[in-house]
Amino acid sequence: MVSQLIQTRFLQLIRPGRSGEIFVVLAAFVIVLVTVYLTSRGWKAFLRRLPIVDGIEAAVGRCAEMGRPVFFSSILGTLDKTEAAQTLASLSTLGYVAKLAARYDVPIIVGVGVPETIPLIDDIVRGAFTEEGKLEKYRKEETIRFLAPDQWGFSSAVMGTLRRNPTGANVMIGEMRGDTLMYFEPGAETGSLQIGGTSTMSNLQWVAVATDYSAIGEEVFALAAYVSKDPVLTNTLFGEDLVKFGLIAYVLAGILLAAGGSDLLVSLLRM
Amino acid sequence: MADIKTTGPFLVVSIAALLTLAEYYFVGPQISDAARTLGSWVVIILAFSLIMATGRSFLYHMREVRRRAVGTWYYSLWFMILVVVLFSVGTYETPNGPNYVWWQTWIMGTTVGGIYVVVGMWMISAVFRTFRVRSLYTLGSVVALCLFVFGWILPIGESVAGLPPVASWLYDVVLTGSWRGVIMGAGIGIVYYGIRTILMRERRIFGA
């Protein structure tokens, strides 16, 4: 009776070919909810320290010593397309960078390419300065600079900004395209520490080679959780690893079954 | 009231994300209609944000010109002139008008081409910085690079027995395998970040 109901009602509602995906997402939801529950009971997962976190701290400290500003940008990542998660993760990291900048009295410049992120950036930087008790030092006009919404206009503006205001550190996390090197190489030339992060597959290699500290792939999202210091968020990273191990097991089982002539697991994903 | 001000934005994000998720996974006229309405609102908000951001940028440059910022004020003035000219042309004859199209084709098109060429120069400088063998990782990169360049790209590689197959194996097995691993990891990262946002746990995005 129940299985008939599921088959006739529920499965017909799901778009063809997406049943496998929805199962993974639902499993992830359940794991997150369990994590929230366990955290409320005092559980704390061990978390390896990400090198980029040390890099960010060193970068802002370096700016304080050199008397130079720190430059941050989430580049051209929008809030309404596939890169939205990456953009939001980048903005979460901005909160941490801004907090350090406020603590050490380092001027921060945020280069903006996507206009709809301006109110969020304003809230984040204002919040960070308030937390450090230095709201009076926050100059919105000097901090948030809308450069250009166009890819090449934005990269040109970033190059110009970095040359006109030599920075001590250049933190760029978000969606990167063919212009990736235009963000990091001018910074390297003017002697600033390069910190980059992206999960855009086509440009991971440039971030890895052109920066001093990098976060690639899922590290961008892990970084956002790590710097929040919220135990629920950091504990969910443990859940992420569980799903990852599950998928590795699935892939291995799929390889063994395929070697035996069965495509059962592949068909399940395409359901 | 203060509670609504704090929780409201998170709630809006959560509902919008859930609706988008539902539209992706489920079929149904109500879901599609709601998603379409949400899409229209997104377009309207984005258009307004662009106008406000341009105005904000204009004011910033106006201040720079007023205080005669050393070495940069004339760039700011040039920027303001261009904004006024393009805004006037775009408003007067729409973006399909001959002057606007001329600008896009002969000024924007050629400038963008020129800027794109700079990427080549940066690639060379990035490669130079990277392959200076400062650590074990970069040593590995240099070895892989040499295998690729000599085994695959330069004709000399064909004269060394066994080099092209090693380069192919590196690309087909090691690189492709690692690539897929990173894609899976990033995918799971996105799923988890999305869930944390829907559950209103990612509070940093509103400065909370």
Side-chain angles (χ1 to χ4, degrees), chain A residues 2 25 46-47 265:
Chain A
V2 174
V25 172
F46 167 75
L47 202 62
L265 294 186

Side-chain angles (χ1 to χ4, degrees), chain A residues 148-197:
Chain A
D150 166 76
Q151 183 184 10
W152 303 109
F154 182 75
S155 49
S156 309
V158 169
M159 286 194 285
T161 306
L162 294 179
R163 281 189 187 282
R164 286 191 291 273
N165 313 277
T167 50
N170 180 16
V171 186
M172 308 204 69
I173 299 170
E175 165 86 359
M176 304 226 185
R177 302 174 198 165
D179 46 0
T180 307
L181 289 175
M182 290 178 158
Y183 305 132
F184 296 117
E185 289 305 295
E189 264 195 4
T190 52
S192 86
L193 195 81
Q194 307 293 313
I195 293 175

Side-chain angles (χ1 to χ4, degrees), chain B residues 4-205:
Chain B
I4 293 173
K5 272 182 87 174
T6 321
T7 320
F10 293 105
L11 208 59
V12 171
V13 170
S14 188
I15 291 168
L18 273 175
L19 188 61
T20 312
L21 204 64
E23 204 262 340
Y24 180 78
Y25 284 119
F26 299 106
V27 278
Q30 294 92 340
I31 295 174
S32 302
D33 284 350
R36 209 172 299 126
T37 310
L38 181 71
S40 305
W41 274 105
V42 167
V43 171
I44 293 166
I45 292 168
L46 294 191
F48 269 107
S49 68
L50 184 58
I51 293 168
M52 288 173 76
T54 309
R56 178 192 175 81
S57 200
F58 194 85
L59 288 175
Y60 170 80
H61 287 285
M62 195 188 267
R63 260 195 309 275
E64 290 287 284
V65 173
R66 258 198 214 141
R67 69 181 183 94
R68 292 282 190 280
V70 184
T72 58
W73 70 269
Y74 35 86
Y75 294 122
S76 295
L77 183 66
W78 183 233
F79 169 84
M80 286 165 63
I81 293 169
L82 288 183
V83 168
V84 172
V85 169
L86 279 174
F87 185 78
S88 310
V89 174
T91 314
Y92 179 69
E93 60 173 31
T94 76
N96 294 323
N99 289 312
Y100 200 82
V101 170
W102 181 88
W103 173 272
Q104 284 291 331
T105 311
W106 299 111
I107 307 292
M108 276 295 284
T110 46
T111 317
V112 163
I115 290 290
Y116 192 45
V117 169
V118 177
V119 176
M121 190 192 78
W122 292 134
M123 275 185 188
I124 294 167
S125 77
V127 166
F128 177 74
R129 285 200 302 124
T130 307
F131 295 119
R132 275 183 295 174
V133 193
R134 286 176 299 180
S135 65
L136 265 179
Y137 292 114
T138 45
L139 178 66
S141 307
V142 171
V143 171
L145 174 86
C146 291
L147 283 170
F148 273 123
V149 171
F150 288 107
W152 230 359
I153 299 168
L154 297 179
I156 194 173
E158 288 170 14
S159 58
V160 183
L163 203 49
V166 171
S168 295
W169 179 82
L170 267 178
Y171 188 84
D172 295 336
V173 179
V174 180
L175 187 67
T176 310
S178 321
W179 197 255
R180 287 177 184 167
V182 176
I183 289 178
M184 276 171 64
I188 295 166
I190 291 171
V191 167
Y192 264 82
Y193 192 87
I195 292 171
R196 292 199 296 259
T197 309
I198 287 172
L199 294 175
M200 299 191 266
R201 301 297 315 198
E202 280 292 346
R203 304 186 77 83
R204 275 266 172 212
I205 53 173

Side-chain angles (χ1 to χ4, degrees), chain A residues 7-30:
Chain A
Q7 277 180 359
T8 53
R9 291 289 175 87
F10 187 67
L11 287 180
Q12 278 177 2
L13 278 177
I14 299 175
R15 288 186 190 278
R18 290 181 186 170
S19 308
E21 285 176 40
I22 202 169
F23 176 74
V24 175
V25 172
L26 285 176
F29 249 112
V30 171

